Amino acid sequence: MGRDKVSLFAQIREDHRQLGLGVRALARRHGVHRRVVREALASPVPAPRKTPVRQAPVLGAVAGLIDAMLREDLDAPRKQRHTSRRIWQRLADEHEVPVSYSYVCRYAGPRRAEIEAEHRAGPGSVAGFVPQAKEPGAEAEVDFGPVSIVLAGEVAACHLFAYRLSFSGKGVHRVFASCAQEAFLEGHVTAFDVTGGVPWRHVRYDNLSPAVAKVLAGRNRTETARWLSFRSWYGFEAFYCEPGIGGAHEKGGVEGEIGRYRRRWMVPVPKVASLAELNARLAEADLADDRRHIEFRAATVAEDFAAEQRFLSPLPGEGFDTGTVLWPRADKFARISVGKCRYSVPARLIGQRVRIRLTANELEVFDGSRRVAVHPRLAASGAEHLDLDHYLEILLRKPGALPGSVPLAQARAAGTFTAAHQQLWDAARARLGDGPGTRTLIEVLLLHRRLPARVGDRGDHRGAGGRDLLAGRGRSRGPQARRRGRRPGRRGPGACRAGRAGAAGGVGDHAAAPRGPAALRRAACPVGDRL
């Protein structure tokens, strides 16, 4: 007709009221059929246009087969359900039906939604959620989430610990190198200290291995011994969700909290020198995060938490040591193995059992009661952290092992073996040869263990000290070696005693000497500041 049907109906009704025209006259006036006039006078809105139902004899013959395949998908894993192409292939292979693939696509898509809706409408099959009312101080939720950071210039995969009070939404977040039990416990201790109390009913968890040793029937769990001791010390109960994706909604608050917090405070990717620096940032971010409003709540998170805090159970008088004490044996490479990772120890501990304390982000090594090494905790299987200082006594006997050693490569990557070290080493090898020159560098590194870092502040930090050392070494040892019948450059007992005496003496005792200990101290300064 070329006209809008709604406007046409309005004109027909207007002419009928104003002019008193009948059906036949209105039909002639507007050039339409009398059925259209009667429809305009009977209904304010035009009836929707009818779509003719076309017959599809071939598709109609296989509709029942397609429906059966789609009903099988209701109980099949999500990634192993029928696609339209797979249905078309089965119809051709198993039933020899020459149906068009486009027909199968047009039928299977809408029909799948209808079958799923029918299934959901059945008794006990309606999927949905019911809003819950939380009591102040009663519950909290805990979970870990993956996060990537740039740690000391390299991308590292870490784990974000999230603790969320269910009533106020107050959250505490920390990043750890792993989600092992030490990180799990340390995260709880931090969260309890920040919030000033413990939930009086329970804390919700999934079935993570630091807490659950075995999943039993229903809600029953066999808990790990250390986790059971931790819970009993702080006096709270654990609520474990159903295994799998079906139990994720039981702690939906913290599930969504991890994603929200990661997008809000860890984008762009944080660049830090250590995890301690990152966690200090996150502590400040938590305080800033308390000023936000949770959807449909009038008060801020901080205001709700202020009202909730007094309902939390009090903390115990003493804290809980979250570190784990182990006794690994040091191998012939001065390494200990902890959790598929290896760490170096001082060479004098080779072959001995060493007491270590493993925390969430650190590994401490003890010789008796004295702490002799600290390493960052590693998480990747096969990773190792080797400190060059632990191998100096070995390298003094085997200087040829230094150039290609893993500790040297790690020291260079970490920036502790700098251009000043390399300059001294190159000069020593050029003057004395590879072996004696390398020993000279190692002696300087060993000497710094006994000298304060400020000793060489008056010297030249850019190589003059290294030249003084080499000149002093040649002058002091050459004549002594010749008098004793030794080759020049070879260490003798007198030189060792002189070196020890020079190391034990102060700066003023040898200030006028042009060689020996004073030169050693000047050369040690740039090295000692870092190793």
Side-chain angles (χ1 to χ4, degrees):
M1 292 183 297
R3 288 178 290 178
D4 182 21
K5 202 169 185 181
V6 175
S7 301
L8 175 63
F9 276 30
Q11 288 179 347
I12 292 174
R13 288 191 291 269
E14 186 69 19
D15 291 346
H16 177 68
R17 286 193 299 269
Q18 298 294 335
L19 303 177
L21 299 177
V23 173
R24 189 181 297 273
L26 289 171
R28 286 196 302 266
R29 182 181 180 87
H30 294 283
V32 296
H33 198 276
R34 291 190 296 274
R35 286 192 306 268
V36 177
V37 176
R38 292 189 183 98
E39 184 182 352
L41 297 177
S43 173
V45 179
R49 187 168 184 172
K50 295 181 180 179
T51 303
V53 179
R54 298 181 179 180
Q55 298 297 325
V58 176
L59 184 59
V62 298
L65 299 175
I66 297 176
D67 288 353
M69 297 179 191
L70 295 177
R71 293 186 190 280
E72 291 177 5
D73 288 346
L74 294 174
D75 300 322
R78 181 174 295 275
K79 295 186 177 181
Q80 291 178 256
R81 297 178 182 176
H82 286 87
T83 62
S84 296
R85 178 169 292 275
R86 181 56 184 152
I87 294 174
W88 175 67
Q89 290 172 344
R90 288 191 62 188
L91 291 174
D93 296 342
E94 300 175 15
H95 303 281
E96 299 181 353
V97 178
V99 63
S100 170
Y101 173 65
S102 61
Y103 276 19
V104 173
C105 292
R106 284 198 295 268
Y107 178 80
R111 187 58 181 152
R112 186 192 302 273
E114 293 174 0
I115 290 176
E116 291 178 351
E118 293 172 3
H119 177 71
R120 289 194 299 268
S125 299
V126 178
F129 301 94
V130 179
Q132 301 291 303
K134 303 296 183 180
E135 300 178 61
E139 300 179 18
E141 302 170 6
V142 168
D143 202 2
F144 278 101
V147 64
S148 294
I149 65 173
V150 177
L151 183 62
E154 296 184 0
V155 178
C158 298
H159 299 267
L160 175 65
F161 173 88
Y163 173 93
R164 182 181 185 272
L165 290 172
S166 300
F167 175 78
S168 63
K170 166 69 177 177
V172 179
H173 308 81
R174 295 295 185 270
V175 170
F176 298 105
S178 69
C179 53
Q181 190 176 66
E182 294 79 19
F184 184 62
L185 299 182
E186 187 170 322
H188 278 79
V189 171
T190 302
F192 293 157
D193 290 342
V194 170
T195 57
V198 181
W200 53 266
R201 179 176 293 162
H202 58 233
V203 181
R204 294 175 179 263
Y205 305 92
D206 52 18
N207 301 279
L208 64 178
S209 58
V212 177
K214 186 176 182 180
V215 178
L216 306 177
R219 301 285 181 181
N220 298 321
R221 304 289 186 271
T222 300
E223 297 180 318
T224 59
R226 200 141 189 269
W227 170 241
L228 183 60
S229 299
F230 181 85
R231 281 203 310 103
S232 63
W233 181 252
Y234 278 93
F236 67 94
E237 297 295 326
F239 177 93
Y240 297 106
C241 301
E242 295 180 5
I245 193 66
H249 68 276
E250 294 183 336
K251 55 179 184 63
V254 74
E255 292 282 354
E257 171 73 7
I258 291 177
R260 181 201 67 81
Y261 191 87
R262 187 167 46 202
R263 291 186 295 271
R264 174 64 180 87
W265 297 106
M266 307 200 77
V267 176
V269 177
K271 298 179 181 179
V272 294
S274 65
L275 289 178
E277 177 186 346
L278 176 59
N279 285 327
R281 292 188 191 178
L282 296 186
E284 298 177 358
D286 286 343
L287 296 177
D289 211 38
D290 290 345
R291 295 193 292 268
R292 66 188 176 93
H293 284 263
I294 296 179
E295 191 176 17
F296 304 121
R297 293 190 186 183
T300 64
V301 172
E303 292 169 345
D304 284 340
F305 174 65
E308 179 183 27
Q309 189 174 24
R310 61 190 180 91
F311 293 98
L312 297 172
S313 299
L315 297 174
E318 296 182 3
F320 188 93
D321 185 8
T322 61
T324 300
V325 176
L326 302 172
W327 290 84
R329 185 183 296 277
D331 62 14
K332 63 181 180 180
F333 296 99
R335 299 177 307 193
I336 55 174
S337 296
V338 179
K340 297 183 180 180
C341 300
R342 292 178 292 190
Y343 307 85
S344 65
V345 298
R348 66 178 181 276
L349 300 178
I350 288 178
Q352 302 181 25
R353 288 201 173 274
V354 181
R355 180 170 68 93
I356 69 166
R357 181 173 178 269
L358 185 64
T359 62
N361 291 328
E362 282 188 345
L363 181 143
E364 300 174 298
V365 182
F366 293 87
D367 183 9
S369 60
R370 186 166 62 94
R371 189 175 73 172
V372 294
V374 179
H375 296 278
R377 179 165 182 168
L378 305 176
S381 178
E384 57 184 5
H385 187 267
L386 308 181
D387 190 344
L388 179 60
D389 184 72
H390 295 162
Y391 293 89
L392 296 181
E393 288 82 1
I394 300 176
L395 293 171
L396 198 59
R397 283 187 66 184
K398 302 177 178 180
L402 178 61
S405 64
V406 176
L408 176 61
Q410 292 190 0
R412 281 174 169 156
T416 55
F417 192 91
T418 64
H421 301 81
Q422 189 65 46
Q423 183 181 7
L424 173 62
W425 192 13
D426 293 342
R429 287 189 294 182
R431 181 177 181 85
L432 305 174
D434 287 345
T438 301
R439 284 194 180 94
T440 299
L441 172 68
I442 297 170
E443 289 169 0
V444 170
L445 302 182
L446 285 169
L447 180 63
H448 178 68
R449 292 180 181 177
R450 302 186 296 272
L451 289 177
R454 64 180 183 275
V455 165
D457 289 346
R458 296 173 298 178
D460 184 1
H461 290 206
R462 301 187 179 273
R467 290 191 296 271
D468 290 347
L469 169 64
L470 299 177
R473 183 184 178 94
R475 289 193 297 272
S476 61
R477 294 185 179 175
Q480 294 177 8
R482 284 192 293 271
R483 284 195 298 271
R484 295 173 183 164
R486 298 173 182 260
R487 294 193 304 272
R490 187 93 176 250
R491 281 184 67 93
C496 292
R497 287 192 296 272
R500 286 195 293 270
V507 178
D509 296 339
H510 302 275
R515 63 192 181 198
L520 284 173
R521 284 194 291 272
R522 287 196 300 272
C525 179
V527 178
D529 289 343
R530 295 176 177 84
L531 288 179

